[in-house]
Amino acid sequence: MKRFICGLFASIGLLCIIFPGPITVGLPYVLGGAMVLAGILYCIAYFRKGGAWVDHSVELANGFVLLTVGIVFIIHGSESIGPMGTTWAIIGIRKASKSLSRAIQAIGTKTASFGSFAEFLIRMTFSSMLLLYPTEKFEGHIILLGLDLIAVSIRLTKRCSPALDGEE
């Protein structure tokens, strides 16, 4: 199963690199559909819990938000690319902040911080470009997503390789 997941990530990554335009056009429908499905599943899980409604109100709220945003993406189609790009940029900026925090912590403990600082610079640069030009830079970010998915699949393969050999 782990080999399949690694292969799937690599395949999706390769498709993102080869076909960024068509993926960008179809993304609002695919992502919107996945969000609608996830939102429905969150809501169903919430109402199945019976008496524990108050304790799991976050699930219902997340489900409702996913459902609503997913429907909006599907209805608006390609017009959703701008808001998607802006959201992606904000997520990237938050990740850049975490990378900078790791770099600062590494400096404080006098350990190697170059990797975290380089990661911060890369994330901040690309996220800022996407924030300022969400529709114009979206296809480029699809390519970056493809590269990231391939890197993740390689990392997963290396991390799980002893377990992978025992499967199948």
Side-chain angles (χ1 to χ4, degrees), residues 36-103:
V36 166
L37 180 63
I40 290 170
L41 292 174
Y42 268 113
C43 291
I44 289 171
Y46 174 80
F47 286 112
R48 281 191 162 173
K49 291 210 173 20
W53 288 11
V54 175
D55 297 334
H56 297 282
S57 61
V58 172
E59 291 174 8
L60 181 62
N62 286 340
F64 184 72
V65 168
L66 284 170
L67 181 64
T68 305
V69 174
I71 290 170
V72 169
F73 283 175
I74 291 169
I75 290 172
H76 288 280
S78 63
E79 293 175 17
S80 302
I81 298 298
M84 285 174 141
T86 302
T87 303
W88 195 354
I90 292 168
I91 291 168
I93 289 169
R94 290 187 68 203
K95 288 182 176 182
S97 173
K98 290 177 184 176
S99 298
L100 182 58
S101 176
R102 281 193 305 273

Side-chain angles (χ1 to χ4, degrees), residues 16-17 19-32 73 77-91 126-146:
C16 287
I17 293 168
F19 304 111
I23 288 174
T24 298
V25 170
L27 190 62
Y29 305 104
V30 173
L31 183 60
F73 283 175
S78 63
E79 293 175 17
S80 302
I81 298 298
M84 285 174 141
T86 302
T87 303
W88 195 354
I90 292 168
I91 291 168
F126 287 124
S127 295
S128 296
M129 288 175 12
L130 189 58
L131 184 64
L132 296 173
Y133 308 101
T135 54
E136 294 87 2
K137 304 297 182 189
F138 202 86
E139 281 187 31
H141 274 73
I142 293 292
I143 294 170
L144 290 172
L145 173 63

